[in-house]
Amino acid sequence: MKVAEVRHILDTIGDLFPDAHCELNHSNAFELTIAVLLSAQCTDATVNKVTVDLFQKYKAPIDYISVPLEELEGDIRRIGLYRNKAKHIQSLCSILIEQYGGEVPEAHDLLVTLPGVGRKTANVVVSNAFGVPAIAVDTHVERVAKRLALAGWKDSVLEVEKKLMKAVPRDEWTITHHRLIFFGRYHCKAQNPKCQVCPLLDVCREGKKRMKTAVVRKAKDHTPKS
């Protein structure tokens, strides 16, 4: 895709969601790490409901490993896969205490070695907590990137990330990540995207296909029956 086309996409999404930001509530890098870990296969809204009380009860890594696993499980029970996530949190906290003085490491290559922390989580943490440009590819970012031909339909999550990093100026990686999420979450939804009012319909192969199908269906509905 040409530079001008990418610029058109970025500017248009930027106009739609100029104030896009991380919607996971947190006050420091540690809370953000826990919140992103909890958000796997779970909505940010649900995570925020749980962390309201969770972050009041658990202030530091030592707090999470000072309670029985079953108690922590109970505190995050509303989160999907809560049993595995509770184990990951306690293991992660133990490592933070033993190896990093209770602090979340800033280096991406160290973050991904922590239990429950994958590449996406590490990207979110380094970009939002430490100001390091990064593009975290979640389901929204992946869907939007592929629909707008910023990535191929069959590209893996890592391939999508690499193509976005190549296409988007480095100093815009983090804000682009947030704007793509907002665009996918509130406009270009997985089901019933707002194609009919989308300012990027001209460059969206998925949107063109959906609108063409809608026109054909409407024409059939209005065909006089014999």
Side-chain angles (χ1 to χ4, degrees), residues 118-218:
R119 185 175 183 84
K120 185 199 78 172
T121 299
N123 283 347
V124 172
V125 173
V126 297
S127 60
N128 290 279
F130 303 123
V132 178
I135 297 179
V137 179
D138 68 354
T139 56
H140 299 297
V141 174
E142 180 180 7
R143 179 176 67 256
V144 170
K146 290 181 176 181
R147 285 180 175 178
L148 296 177
L150 292 168
W153 288 120
K154 296 183 179 181
D155 285 349
S156 66
V157 171
L158 181 58
E159 288 171 332
V160 172
E161 180 186 335
K162 288 181 177 179
K163 287 185 177 180
L164 287 174
M165 289 170 65
K166 183 177 180 179
V168 178
R170 188 174 188 275
D171 61 349
E172 296 180 44
W173 285 357
T174 299
I175 188 59
T176 296
H177 155 70
H178 292 312
R179 287 173 175 169
L180 288 175
I181 288 178
F182 268 53
F183 187 72
R185 182 175 289 161
Y186 302 114
H187 183 87
C188 189
K189 302 177 182 180
Q191 302 296 328
N192 301 316
K194 300 178 181 179
C195 300
Q196 66 277 12
V197 295
C198 184
L200 287 174
L201 183 61
D202 61 320
V203 295
C204 180
R205 47 190 175 181
E206 175 72 10
K208 290 177 181 177
K209 179 181 178 182
R210 284 176 176 269
M211 294 303 292
K212 183 178 180 180
T213 300
V215 170
V216 172
R217 185 181 298 116
K218 186 176 181 180

Side-chain angles (χ1 to χ4, degrees), residues 17 75 115:
F17 301 102
D75 290 332

